[in-house]
Amino acid sequence: MRGRGAGVVLMLLVAAGAAGCSSHASPPDLSGYYTQRLAWRTCGAAGLTDSARKDLGEAAASATLASMECAQLTVPRDYGHPQAGDLRLALSRFRAAPDHVQPGGARVGSLVLNFGGPGTPGIDQLGAEVDTTFAGLRRSYDLIGLDPRGWGQSEPVTCARSAESEESEESADAGQAAWAAWAADAARTGDDPLAELTRVAAARTARARACGVRSGTLLPYVGTVDSARDLDVLRAALGDRKLNFLGFSYGSRLGAVYAHQFPERVGRMSLDGIIDPTLDYEGTAVSLVQAQEQGVGNFLADCLRRGDACPFTGSQAEARQQLQVAYDAVGQKGVESNKGTLDRSTFVNALADAAWEPGWWPDLRGALTDLIRSHDAGPLARLGGATPPTGAAFPAVADPPGDNGSAVYTAVECRDTADRYSPQRTAAARTEFLAASSLFGPGAETSLLDCSGWPARGDDSWRDVRAKGAPPVLMVGTRTDPATPYPGTARMATATGVGVVLTYAGEGHIAYRLSTCVRHAEDAFLTSGTLPKPDTVCPAE
């Protein structure tokens, strides 16, 4: 352990205890966490999950692992009561090796990345992109991948029941009920909205019960406020005076909360795909539906420009109506195909996923062409992730569990909001969702029921993102972003008081991956501290 001088420890205690501790009580002693040393080692094959190695391919995975180091960061499960036990968070590092550093340049320090979700594993994602997307940043930084608490390799949240477990019959029943509920959600009848929503709430309560059995001791501590405090412990363990951070999508929430908690510790921070801190749970859901509808409009406009390669004709409004007709024709029971059942939920999933990035539009265009012209539902069912049949066995738990992505998403979102919606309150919001989109609205309203029966309480404390005393933070928004709608960028900049907005005048989610102009601007800020002029706009590419 290093730096145990009394003055250093006192400084650490004051800073670490600033977030959430009463001025009338002594803050918990966190000095042991702040003075820990990271034991970096060669990762070996265990550095990437099996799925990540498969996605990369054996040769690329071997090359990645050759330069990848792994470690574990110890943090308190409960910052208010560190004596309650520890969590160990998985880390990866890719050093700014001499052959990566620019001639005459210097290593700036460490750069921690968060890839969004919540639920996208930082270690796997950084391993997949370290020498492609982030090659420019590696010339100046040690790049740090982190699976936050509850994600990936860091004590993952799960609601699944493993085949090897010997849990109670109640747990098993809850798990099977949850699986049936997920399948049933895709086949909602819509004949009686309140009865339908009551059934969905009961199904999600069953899933919540399974989550409580499997991960109940962790669920109260996976919120963004705790994860932001983990970032400061990580900063200290890396030996950095300030945190340099690149956050995408949910990473914008995490970065903004860190800037609020530790403004004096913010180094160079770039946030891309900004979550709006001013909207409540319902407002966020409605804004997402509106953005998805806009994304479909952009897809249709592009499709019509392609003539016979597009299954739609006429004006954009006429094409939208033709798309609605195709959706309605699927019917409540769906259409069987060799790729599974194409039902309305799967249809909408395919549209929503493809709206995220123009690079996926050719696949969507082809799948819709097959459906409309050849009556082949298979390609669209595949794009939408056709739902397994009701009653299927619960999938085996992998390492991390196969449901970790969806489970931790719900866990973080339910920890980060105090809202708990009843079926009646959700039914009252139906008109607003339908007005936002006849395609996305009917399904999206049920997202208000995601926290039904959730075993951990939530609060809205993350929404206070005031960062007085922090340096400027670069905030990047895409004009047509179907996941983090563009108006949230300016609102986050105003709410923090330190945001400098960079706009990408294109389409899709995460401008860093979509625009050379944006990537150069973010890299320039992170490596040299040079900010773009306020309200700079990068043209669509």
Side-chain angles (χ1 to χ4, degrees):
M1 307 292 275
R2 67 180 181 210
R4 288 194 176 274
V8 173
V9 170
L10 178 61
M11 178 184 69
L12 290 172
L13 291 177
V14 171
C21 294
S22 169
S23 59
H24 300 291
S26 298
D29 182 1
L30 303 177
S31 59
Y33 299 102
Y34 270 85
T35 55
Q36 67 184 288
R37 291 181 180 274
L38 296 173
W40 293 104
R41 68 188 191 284
T42 301
C43 296
L48 297 172
T49 62
D50 289 340
S51 59
R53 289 198 300 272
K54 181 178 179 181
D55 290 343
L56 276 172
E58 198 58 40
S62 296
T64 296
L65 289 167
S67 61
M68 180 177 173
E69 297 174 295
C70 291
Q72 287 190 329
L73 178 75
T74 301
V75 296
R77 181 178 295 261
D78 179 353
Y79 275 94
H81 303 88
Q83 69 276 12
D86 294 339
L87 292 174
R88 288 176 175 80
L89 308 184
L91 305 173
S92 67
R93 177 173 70 178
F94 292 89
R95 290 179 181 268
D99 59 338
H100 286 88
V101 177
Q102 300 177 25
R107 175 185 175 279
V108 175
S110 301
L111 178 67
V112 179
L113 294 94
N114 182 280
F115 295 91
T120 303
I123 292 175
D124 280 356
Q125 197 64 43
L126 179 57
E129 298 186 88
V130 64
D131 286 325
T132 52
T133 310
F134 304 110
L137 291 173
R138 196 178 174 193
R139 297 189 182 102
S140 300
Y141 284 103
D142 292 345
L143 301 184
I144 306 297
L146 165 67
D147 285 357
R149 50 176 67 206
W151 307 13
Q153 300 178 47
S154 297
E155 193 173 329
V157 170
T158 178
C159 305
R161 179 172 61 90
S162 71
E164 296 79 16
S165 67
E166 297 181 357
E167 293 164 353
S168 67
E169 288 299 317
E170 179 183 3
S171 161
D173 291 344
Q176 292 295 345
W179 180 249
W182 298 331
D185 272 355
R188 297 159 56 238
T189 63
D191 295 335
D192 183 341
L194 184 56
E196 165 194 321
L197 292 170
T198 300
R199 180 187 58 75
V200 172
R204 294 186 181 173
T205 297
R207 186 200 184 199
R209 188 180 307 121
C211 297
V213 170
R214 292 286 290 161
S215 300
T217 60
L218 183 58
L219 297 181
Y221 309 111
V222 296
T224 302
V225 170
D226 282 327
S227 288
R229 299 192 71 173
D230 293 343
L231 288 180
D232 200 54
V233 175
L234 173 58
R235 173 202 57 75
L238 291 169
D240 290 344
R241 190 171 61 87
K242 294 181 180 291
L243 177 75
N244 301 308
F245 182 79
L246 175 57
F248 299 124
S249 197
Y250 167 79
S252 71
R253 182 195 299 179
L254 182 60
V257 171
Y258 180 87
H260 169 71
Q261 292 178 333
F262 305 100
E264 76 286 356
R265 303 281 180 80
V266 175
R268 296 171 186 170
M269 179 177 287
S270 182
L271 310 178
D272 189 330
I274 308 295
I275 292 177
D276 191 337
T278 69
L279 296 177
D280 63 12
Y281 203 75
E282 181 178 333
T284 298
V286 171
S287 71
L288 177 59
V289 169
Q290 293 168 333
Q292 289 173 325
E293 181 68 33
Q294 185 180 9
V296 167
N298 291 332
F299 160 74
L300 291 173
D302 177 81
C303 185
L304 290 170
R305 288 194 290 267
R306 300 177 185 277
D308 290 341
C310 179
F312 307 110
T313 59
S315 66
Q316 186 172 323
E318 291 169 329
R320 176 61 178 80
Q321 181 57 36
Q322 293 160 26
L323 177 64
Q324 186 73 42
V325 168
Y327 168 79
D328 292 339
V330 167
Q332 296 291 351
K333 294 184 178 179
V335 179
E336 295 300 324
S337 78
N338 60 353
K339 301 295 183 182
T341 302
L342 176 67
D343 53 32
R344 291 184 175 179
S345 176
T346 310
F347 194 115
V348 168
N349 285 344
L351 291 177
D353 289 346
W356 278 50
E357 186 174 334
W360 296 352
W361 289 356
D363 288 343
L364 178 59
R365 187 171 62 248
L368 287 168
T369 298
D370 289 338
L371 176 68
I372 293 170
R373 293 179 179 171
S374 304
H375 307 291
D376 180 3
L380 197 61
R382 179 184 59 80
L383 280 183
T387 306
T390 302
F394 213 97
V397 178
D399 185 15
D403 76 325
N404 177 230
S406 62
V408 76
Y409 180 91
T410 303
V412 174
E413 292 299 314
C414 293
R415 182 63 189 88
D416 279 3
T417 181
D419 285 330
R420 299 292 187 264
Y421 287 80
S422 66
Q424 292 78 9
R425 184 180 174 192
T426 302
R430 172 164 287 202
T431 300
E432 185 178 16
F433 279 95
L434 288 175
S437 173
S438 59
L439 285 171
F440 300 107
E445 67 178 358
T446 64
S447 68
L448 300 184
L449 298 170
D450 283 352
C451 299
S452 297
W454 196 251
R457 298 176 64 181
D459 63 55
D460 298 286
S461 57
W462 83 266
R463 297 183 187 281
D464 183 359
V465 292
R466 292 170 295 175
K468 184 178 180 180
V473 173
L474 182 58
M475 298 186 180
V476 184
T478 299
R479 285 259 172 84
T480 307
D481 186 328
T484 49
Y486 179 68
T489 308
R491 291 172 186 161
M492 178 68 89
T494 299
T496 60
V498 296
V500 175
V501 173
L502 171 65
T503 297
Y504 173 49
E507 299 141 348
H509 186 48
I510 308 300
Y512 191 92
R513 292 192 176 103
L514 302 172
S515 165
T516 302
C517 169
V518 168
R519 187 164 58 253
H520 286 170
E522 292 194 64
D523 284 1
F525 171 58
L526 290 169
T527 58
S528 68
T530 304
L531 279 164
K533 294 180 180 179
D535 301 318
T536 294
V537 177
C538 282
E541 296 181 11

